DNA sequence: ATCCAGGCTCCTG
DNA sequence: CAGGAGCATGGA
């Protein structure tokens, strides 16, 4: 009698169509995703975004592609996994809408950008871009901590190491998709092993502390998301390992706040220094002063500068 | 060797 | 409350 090495689990799949407020440039979004160093689990190929995620209590694979245009955006979301039902698909759709900011109206930002010729030029050249969210807030926090005070390439390696040490994976019709570890997995991270994988002592401490905080409820992303911007900022800064830069970064990239700016960010300072002809990095204060022109939409503006910066680093 | 990299904590004054 | 020392790690 033959025994297969692994029990095969039947994969189910469901699809839903998602609209978006125009203009929405899915290709530009994918372009950002392809060169963003933190995107280690996302797979962007053939005009399609794919990534495994835990949502609605299940591990699933999300696959997103466009069947519309910039001015009439239409996306198709496919959800696959061993146990797909209506509930999971609905949750996945909510998550994707939030991640890609499908319900956000770019008009007020585009209008505000016109007040600053330098920003207006970048917006005009690059196109319609929204500050898309890091799909998993826990992943966003850990990424920003791993990225503190080190270069992006190295931060990426640390992230890959973390996934290797405590992440898991999902297999869909023979393809393997990595899953970012959840707090319960990170809280048990072996400090010695992490040190061997080039984590600094602080990074180990912060990462585990945040995992623990999420498990015991002291950190609550949903509550922060619902709070006033000022309170969310302070709530984040109260967490060990999160300073102002990280908090402002997370407001934009994980909690959906449109008007924050991590002015101390080296990438921002570099891109802005160049764009405004300073012949050096802008200082944090200079960034804060300049950013007043984008009030209400500073996070949206920052996102453009980051894309500029990535295009400088990784021209494609 | 020295400086830089998408900083943070903690201690001063 | 602003400023800065000290910290930690790898890469160019």
């Amino acid at each position: 009698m033959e025994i297969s090495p692994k029990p095969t689990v039947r994969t189910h799949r469901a699809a839903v169509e998602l609209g978006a407020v125009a203009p929405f440039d899915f290709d530009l979004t994918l372009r950002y995703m392809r060169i963003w160093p933190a995107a280690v689990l996302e797979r962007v190929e053939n005009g399609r975004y794919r990534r495994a995620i835990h949502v609605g209590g299940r591990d699933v694979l999300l696959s997103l592609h466009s069947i519309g245009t910039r001015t009439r955006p239409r996306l198709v979301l496919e959800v696959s996994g061993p146990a797909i039902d209506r509930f999971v698909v609905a949750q996945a759709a909510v998550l994707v809408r939030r991640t890609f900011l499908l319900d956000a109206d770019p008009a007020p930002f585009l209008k505000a950008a016109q007040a600053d010729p330098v920003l207006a030029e970048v917006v005009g050249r690059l196109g319609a871009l929204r500050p898309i969210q890091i799909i998993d807030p826990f992943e966003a926090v850990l990424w920003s901590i791993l990225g503190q005070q080190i270069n992006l390439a190295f931060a990426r390696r640390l992230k890959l190491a973390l996934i290797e040490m405590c992440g898991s994976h999902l297999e869909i019709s023979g393809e393997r998709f990595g899953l970012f570890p959840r707090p319960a997995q990170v809280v048990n991270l072996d400090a010695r092993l992490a040190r061997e994988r080039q984590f600094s002592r602080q990074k180990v401490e912060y990462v585990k502390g945040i995992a623990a905080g999420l498990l015991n409820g002291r950190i609550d992303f949903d509550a922060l998301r619902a709070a006033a911007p000022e309170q969310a900022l302070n709530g984040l800064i109260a967490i060990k390992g999160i300073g102002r830069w990280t908090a402002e970064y997370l407001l934009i990239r994980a909690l959906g706040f449109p008007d924050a700016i991590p002015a101390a960010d080296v990438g921002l300072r570099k891109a802005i220094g160049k764009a405004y002809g300073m012949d050096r990095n802008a200082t944090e204060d200079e960034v804060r002063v300049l950013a007043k022109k984008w009030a209400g939409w500073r996070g949206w503006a920052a996102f453009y500068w980051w894309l500029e910066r990535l295009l400088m680093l990784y021209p494609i």
Side-chain angles (χ1 to χ4, degrees):
Chain A
M1 175 176 222
E2 213 161 3
I3 298 177
S4 61
K6 251 194 219 171
T8 38
V9 183
R10 189 187 166 85
T11 295
H12 297 267
R13 183 160 75 161
V16 287
E17 189 176 323
L18 306 176
V21 181
F24 179 79
D25 189 338
F26 188 60
D27 288 335
L28 184 59
T29 302
L30 294 185
R31 193 171 165 204
Y32 179 87
M33 200 68 88
R34 266 203 308 274
I35 58 178
W36 183 43
V40 300
L41 297 176
E42 286 77 6
R43 284 194 211 166
V44 178
E45 48 214 0
N46 305 321
R48 194 177 279 265
Y49 158 98
R50 292 188 303 164
R51 128 136 222 192
I53 190 80
H54 187 80
V55 63
R58 308 275 164 72
D59 292 335
V60 302
L61 174 67
L62 305 177
S63 174
L64 193 62
H65 68 277
S66 169
I67 56 168
T69 62
R70 247 170 45 85
T71 47
R72 297 182 64 87
R74 291 167 67 200
L75 299 172
V76 173
L77 169 66
E78 292 164 11
V79 185
S80 17
I84 299 300
D85 59 27
R86 211 176 274 282
F87 171 75
V88 173
V89 174
Q91 294 295 300
V94 168
L95 179 62
V96 167
R97 297 199 74 84
R98 184 167 87 194
T99 300
F100 290 89
L101 272 72
L102 300 186
D103 298 303
D105 181 3
F109 163 72
L110 294 171
K111 189 175 173 196
Q114 293 310 308
D116 177 354
V118 182
L119 178 61
E121 187 279 325
V122 176
V123 172
R125 174 160 44 82
L126 296 179
L129 184 68
R130 324 172 172 210
I132 52 169
Q133 304 291 292
I134 298 172
I135 193 165
D136 171 5
F138 179 54
E139 177 177 345
V141 183
L142 297 200
W143 164 249
S144 48
I145 284 175
L146 295 184
Q148 286 166 4
Q149 192 60 17
I150 60 173
N151 65 66
L152 287 169
F154 182 51
R156 179 186 172 96
R157 289 222 307 278
L158 292 179
K159 180 172 178 179
L160 284 166
L162 182 70
I163 292 167
E164 241 179 72
M165 288 186 287
C166 44
S168 54
H169 66 91
L170 176 67
E171 207 164 307
I172 301 282
S173 41
E175 258 186 299
R176 206 178 151 94
F177 297 89
L179 280 156
F180 195 79
R182 296 165 61 196
Q185 300 168 279
V186 172
V187 81
N188 294 319
L189 175 63
D190 182 329
R192 189 182 45 77
L193 192 59
R195 296 279 296 135
E196 284 172 15
R197 301 300 300 268
Q198 302 174 286
F199 279 58
S200 67
R201 289 177 176 75
Q202 287 104 318
K203 288 197 199 299
V204 175
E205 190 185 324
Y206 297 157
V207 155
K208 293 185 70 167
I210 284 166
L214 282 162
L215 288 173
N216 68 27
R218 246 196 87 247
I219 304 175
D220 180 347
F221 291 125
D222 290 328
L224 289 169
R225 210 191 297 278
E230 193 73 14
Q231 290 185 324
L233 184 72
N234 293 332
L236 287 168
I237 290 177
I239 299 167
K240 272 269 193 293
I242 298 184
R244 186 168 184 184
W245 173 83
T246 305
E248 289 170 326
Y249 182 79
L250 292 172
L251 288 185
I252 305 174
R253 297 305 315 278
L255 300 178
F257 289 87
D259 190 30
I261 186 159
D265 185 275
V266 178
L268 262 184
R269 291 171 42 216
K270 216 165 268 234
I272 289 176
K274 184 171 178 181
Y276 289 82
M278 293 177 180
D279 204 37
R280 58 174 171 79
N281 292 359
T283 66
E284 174 173 358
D285 285 343
E286 286 168 339
V287 172
R288 288 204 194 282
V289 170
L290 266 173
K292 286 181 183 167
K293 291 195 262 192
W294 322 319
W297 303 96
R298 280 172 274 212
W300 286 56
F303 206 73
Y304 276 89
W305 298 120
W306 279 323
L307 178 55
E308 276 281 86
R309 172 71 183 143
L310 288 178
L311 289 171
M312 284 185 228
L313 287 173
Y314 317 103
I316 48 169

